[in-house]
Amino acid sequence: MLDRFTSMQVFVKVVQLGSFSAAARALALSPTMVTKHVTTLEDRLGVTLFRRSTRHLSLTEAGRLFLEGSQRILADMEDMELAVSEQRREARGHLRLNAPVSFAIRYVAPYLPEFNRLHPHVSVELGLNDRTVDLIDEGWDLTLRIRKMPSSTLRSRRLATIRMVVCAAPAYLERAGTPSRVEELSQHQCLGYTLSGTNSASRWSFGEKGEKTVPVSGPLSANNGDVLREAALAGEGIVYQPVFVVSEELRTGRLRALTLDLPPVPGPDLHAVYAPGISMSLKIRAMIDYLSQCYTPIPPWEQALMNT
């Protein structure tokens, strides 16, 4: 009987390269053996994994499901083997880390001196960018993303959940009134974030499943949360932002969270994202593990509010 784990590896390689012959060359196997591995999987599962034609190879629905599970199992196995084999080794090299601007300034940069103390042989290049960067094309080792992760060949690890909050300066609320229902936001000055994966600058969603959407408008929209926070502090309107952007202002009372009839949509997760490979390098693992410790069990942006 063929090894099930090896058959998974062969199957994933066929998907990645788009053909049985290309997978055979990459794995130094004969095309016949590659076909045998895939056929054995299909026989064991009782399903067809590929739609085959003379010119095209595509996954069936069962194949897509099996691909997701296989990639997860193979990644876990690689990580486990690496963790065991590299216990005595030390992280080294130059690490290129990219993160969103507002988050990196508050919750990445302040933690890097301690990381450098713990890992003196790793130098860090921190890039700040609110757009989604291409790790491979742009040469980043690791990026932090605050969004729902789409299906991708990239690998990721969840570091924290980011809570959303609707807030405004007391001066604005005294002047314009304090809304209590989400529909009332349409009558207020709302400061929109243009890069959100959930809300747009002109429409904000609420509820556990985003079931309620309201049109909003205001004097300013921007692709950076710090800009919108400063406008809110100046009394320009209401912002709908991740807690980490406004936690200090909420703690000191310079901004006031609104209690509406529907809650904000559940916040996106913070992910550490890195390119797939034979194994995760020690420098990447060291940074991910370190940031995970910094953000758990309670993220520092939430701790600040708990201490008020």
Side-chain angles (χ1 to χ4, degrees), residues 39 56 64 88 100 110 117 140-141 229 286 306:
T39 301
H56 186 64
R64 287 191 295 271
R88 296 177 180 269
R117 188 188 68 79
W140 296 102
D141 297 302
R229 184 196 65 240
M306 294 172 61

Side-chain angles (χ1 to χ4, degrees), residues 228-302:
L228 299 176
R229 184 196 65 240
E230 292 303 311
L233 287 169
E236 287 292 293
I238 298 171
V239 290
Y240 192 175
Q241 284 289 299
V243 165
F244 70 80
V245 175
V246 294
S247 59
E248 178 61 20
E249 290 72 24
L250 291 172
R251 185 186 69 80
T252 59
R254 298 175 66 201
L255 291 177
R256 185 183 302 165
L258 303 184
T259 301
L260 301 168
D261 58 326
L262 287 173
V265 291
D269 287 336
L270 168 67
H271 289 91
V273 184
Y274 53 100
I278 297 176
S279 61
M280 186 197 307
S281 70
L282 275 177
K283 63 183 181 182
I284 295 176
R285 178 185 296 279
M287 179 60 77
I288 293 176
D289 288 346
Y290 174 71
L291 291 177
S292 178
Q293 292 172 6
C294 292
Y295 304 150
T296 55
I298 301 174
W301 51 91
E302 295 288 356

Side-chain angles (χ1 to χ4, degrees), residues 54-122:
T54 56
R55 294 186 176 181
H56 186 64
L57 189 68
S58 62
L59 286 172
T60 64
E61 183 176 352
R64 287 191 295 271
L65 183 63
F66 190 69
L67 174 65
E68 292 177 5
S70 297
Q71 289 176 321
R72 185 170 57 251
I73 291 170
L74 293 173
D76 288 345
M77 181 63 73
E78 288 176 1
D79 288 347
M80 180 187 67
E81 290 178 344
L82 188 66
V84 172
S85 65
E86 296 187 334
Q87 284 184 30
R88 296 177 180 269
R89 294 176 58 191
E90 189 173 12
R92 294 178 176 272
H94 185 66
L95 176 69
R96 301 190 73 226
L97 169 64
N98 191 281
V101 177
S102 299
F103 186 82
I105 291 172
R106 289 171 180 77
Y107 298 108
V108 179
Y111 298 100
L112 291 182
E114 177 63 13
F115 176 83
N116 292 335
R117 188 188 68 79
L118 294 171
H119 303 281
H121 299 296
V122 178

